[in-house]
């Protein structure tokens, strides 16, 4: 059974428009917000507007976000997998029973450098058809933060990467909560 939307007749439409006009409703002339105060025209405001306009989507270099991330504790166990991942595969990944084929150590990198290194590493791993890789992110707190910055960002970036099927913190032998095993999708 289909639902048809009632089409108002011309009298209803003109009565509605007249009511809006009498209420003082005016059509929008442009789609920009009006904060109710005059625009600042000082040099700093002009520079901020130009920077915001230039920071469009055409400047994005990678697939991962560079915005704010959820902070994780240094000892937090990272774990991500889709609900349909077979239990056996997930168990093997958590126990370190899937041999990792390549590794990346992000110690000493800034957030931007770590992001670029991780993206390059994942691209290379995909090209070499690697099934599982190890990423060592460390647990150190940032100089200006009260949480492990690289670990928190890696947690967010891996969730966004299209070829990452699952990841979890490594076993103690491979770095514990300072590293993750990353399971990559099989490329056909």
């Amino acid at each position: 059974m289909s639902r048809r939307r009632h089409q108002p007749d011309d009298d209803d439409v003109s009565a509605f428009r007249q009511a809006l006009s009498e209420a003082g409703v005016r059509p929008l002339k442009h789609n920009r917000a009006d904060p109710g105060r005059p625009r600042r025209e000082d040099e700093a405001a002009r520079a901020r507007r130009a920077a915001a306009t230039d920071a469009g989507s055409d400047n994005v270099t990678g697939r991962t976000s560079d915005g704010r991330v959820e902070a994780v504790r240094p000892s937090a166990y990272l774990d991500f997998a889709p609900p349909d991942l077979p239990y056996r595969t997930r168990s093997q990944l958590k126990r370190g029973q899937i041999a990792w084929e390549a590794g990346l150590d992000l110690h000493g990198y800034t957030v931007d450098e770590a992001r670029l290194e991780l993206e390059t590493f994942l691209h290379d791993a995909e090209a070499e058809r690697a099934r599982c890789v190890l990423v060592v992110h460390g647990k150190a707190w940032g100089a200006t933060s009260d949480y492990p910055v690289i670990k928190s960002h890696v947690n967010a970036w891996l969730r966004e990467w299209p070829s990452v099927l699952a990841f979890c913190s490594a076993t103690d032998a491979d770095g514990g909560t300072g590293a993750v095993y990353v399971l990559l999708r099989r490329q056909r």
Side-chain angles (χ1 to χ4, degrees), residues 42-65:
D42 63 337
E43 188 60 36
R46 195 174 1 270
R48 281 194 305 276
R49 272 196 299 276
T53 304
D54 291 343
S57 61
D58 53 335
N59 291 345
V60 176
T61 58
R63 290 184 171 175
T64 55
S65 69

Side-chain angles (χ1 to χ4, degrees), residues 68-74 78 137-138 140 147-159:
R68 305 192 101 183
V69 297
E70 182 181 336
V72 296
R73 294 184 327 272
L78 301 183
H137 46 69
Y147 64 94
V149 177
I150 299 295
K151 179 176 183 173
S152 299
H153 278 82
V154 166
N155 183 36
W157 294 335
L158 290 176
R159 292 170 191 266

Side-chain angles (χ1 to χ4, degrees), residues 17-32:
R17 288 187 178 157
Q18 183 180 358
L20 289 175
S21 175
E22 289 172 1
V25 176
R26 292 173 286 124
L28 294 175
K29 303 230 183 311
H30 51 77
N31 65 354
R32 298 184 68 186

Side-chain angles (χ1 to χ4, degrees), residues 10-173:
D10 291 336
D11 292 335
D12 290 341
V13 171
S14 42
F16 179 71
R17 288 187 178 157
Q18 183 180 358
L20 289 175
S21 175
E22 289 172 1
V25 176
R26 292 173 286 124
L28 294 175
K29 303 230 183 311
H30 51 77
N31 65 354
R32 298 184 68 186
D34 180 14
R37 61 181 187 272
R39 233 173 142 165
R40 287 179 37 191
E41 292 302 328
D42 63 337
E43 188 60 36
R46 195 174 1 270
R48 281 194 305 276
R49 272 196 299 276
T53 304
D54 291 343
S57 61
D58 53 335
N59 291 345
V60 176
T61 58
R63 290 184 171 175
T64 55
S65 69
D66 54 357
R68 305 192 101 183
V69 297
E70 182 181 336
V72 296
R73 294 184 327 272
S75 60
Y77 185 87
L78 301 183
D79 188 16
F80 169 79
D84 60 344
L85 184 70
Y87 175 79
R88 182 176 179 194
T89 305
R90 190 167 185 176
S91 298
Q92 288 175 331
L93 185 67
K94 285 184 173 186
R95 289 188 299 238
Q97 294 175 339
I98 300 176
W100 50 276
E101 302 165 48
L104 172 68
D105 188 354
L106 296 174
H107 281 103
Y109 287 106
T110 65
V111 172
D112 292 331
E113 293 169 342
R115 179 176 177 227
L116 182 62
E117 286 294 317
L118 181 63
E119 288 179 356
T120 305
F121 175 71
L122 291 174
H123 274 299
D124 293 346
E126 289 170 34
E128 295 186 18
R129 302 177 54 85
R131 178 71 172 143
C132 182
V133 295
L134 178 74
V135 177
V136 179
H137 46 69
K139 300 189 274 188
W141 289 11
T144 59
S145 304
D146 58 351
Y147 64 94
V149 177
I150 299 295
K151 179 176 183 173
S152 299
H153 278 82
V154 166
N155 183 36
W157 294 335
L158 290 176
R159 292 170 191 266
E160 297 172 355
W161 196 260
S163 65
V164 171
L165 182 59
F167 65 87
C168 67
S169 289
T171 60
D172 290 337

